Amino acid sequence: MSEDSDPTAVLSVLDDEHARAILAAASKEPMSASQLSEACDASTATVYRRIDELTDLGLLEESINVRPDGNHHSVYRATLTRFSIELEDGEFTTEVEVESEDVADRFTRMWEGL
């Protein structure tokens, strides 16, 4: 569970169709904002706004993709694995589960991208 993720804020952002589409697309493979824009049929400005919200909540993770020509760009990977709401004895409980890529995996992915 992510201690940083406010369940109310997570629920609010998941209510947005563009945010859900971004998470779904980025759960398959890391994608750039322009790739997400195309995959989600949303404007780049809309995608960037949702990316900001999703990364602030820890549901999306940014990394740098370095190309052979020396240029680089950000790619985003969904980290949300589960969001649950339970009602028991008149009380709601929520749980947000995210996965985080460890430093070794990130370094390996970066090295393979060179």
Side-chain angles (χ1 to χ4, degrees), residues 24-107:
S27 71
K28 296 175 188 173
E29 65 179 307
M31 300 177 86
S32 68
S34 61
Q35 290 171 317
L36 287 167
S37 176
E38 187 175 312
C40 301
D41 194 28
S43 72
T44 305
T46 297
V47 167
Y48 274 115
R49 279 192 302 273
R50 296 321 182 278
I51 285 172
D52 287 343
E53 293 173 39
L54 293 165
T55 54
D56 286 348
L57 291 170
L59 306 179
L60 201 63
E61 184 174 79
E62 179 182 11
S63 60
I64 303 299
N65 188 6
V66 179
R67 294 185 294 200
D69 64 3
N71 291 323
H72 62 281
H73 64 276
S74 293
V75 292
Y76 303 91
R77 179 182 75 86
T79 59
L80 176 68
T81 57
R82 186 169 156 243
F83 180 77
S84 65
I85 302 173
E86 294 182 24
L87 175 62
E88 187 175 323
D89 294 327
E91 299 234 358
F92 285 100
T93 58
T94 59
E95 185 175 1
V96 179
E97 288 183 20
V98 296
E99 68 178 32
S100 183
E101 191 175 47
D102 67 15
V103 175
D105 288 340
R106 184 176 286 171
F107 182 76

